[in-house]
Amino acid sequence: MKNIYLLLLLFSFAFSPLMAIAQEDTNTEQTTEVNKNGKIPVTQRDYENTEVSMADTFRADGKIYVVVAVLATIFAGIVVFLVVTESKLKKLEDLVYSERASKEKV
């Protein structure tokens, strides 16, 4: 188990520069406006926007299935972890209750 945590830590350090590059802001015009007043300005174009271009692009490229698969895998992993933890906890509770019952009989 300790090896798994070490491996996850290693991967998180290995891929953290990639996350920083992915979040780099290329729109300098909006960045200067945000930095001047501390808020992102809302324009008429924002109110008229009815499409979600990122979702449309992912759907068109077929990447939306990858996103759904990753989210489903994460959710399934969390569910499996909770079920396994609950079963271990139930065994420990049964062990404690059985020891307590055996001490009361004596």
Side-chain angles (χ1 to χ4, degrees), residues 3-97:
N3 292 337
I4 293 173
Y5 291 133
L6 185 61
L7 188 63
L8 287 174
L9 184 66
L10 177 69
F11 278 124
S12 67
F13 284 131
F15 292 113
S16 60
L18 296 176
M19 288 184 225
I21 292 170
Q23 296 176 0
E24 186 176 299
D25 189 12
T26 57
N27 187 0
T28 57
E29 180 182 321
Q30 184 178 0
T31 305
T32 54
E33 281 188 48
V34 171
N35 289 338
K36 286 180 183 176
N37 61 13
K39 295 182 180 179
I40 298 174
V42 178
T43 62
Q44 185 64 28
R45 182 175 172 227
D46 294 330
Y47 290 113
E48 295 169 356
N49 187 10
T50 59
E51 64 180 37
V52 182
S53 60
M54 182 179 62
D56 293 337
T57 304
F58 276 172
R59 196 175 303 114
D61 293 342
K63 293 179 183 178
I64 193 74
Y65 301 112
V66 175
V67 172
V68 170
V70 167
L71 290 175
T73 304
I74 291 171
F75 181 72
I78 291 172
V79 168
V80 167
F81 172 75
L82 290 174
V83 168
V84 169
T85 303
E86 178 64 27
S87 67
K88 288 180 180 180
L89 185 60
K90 180 68 175 161
K91 288 178 185 178
L92 285 173
E93 286 175 348
D94 291 342
L95 181 65
V96 168
Y97 291 140

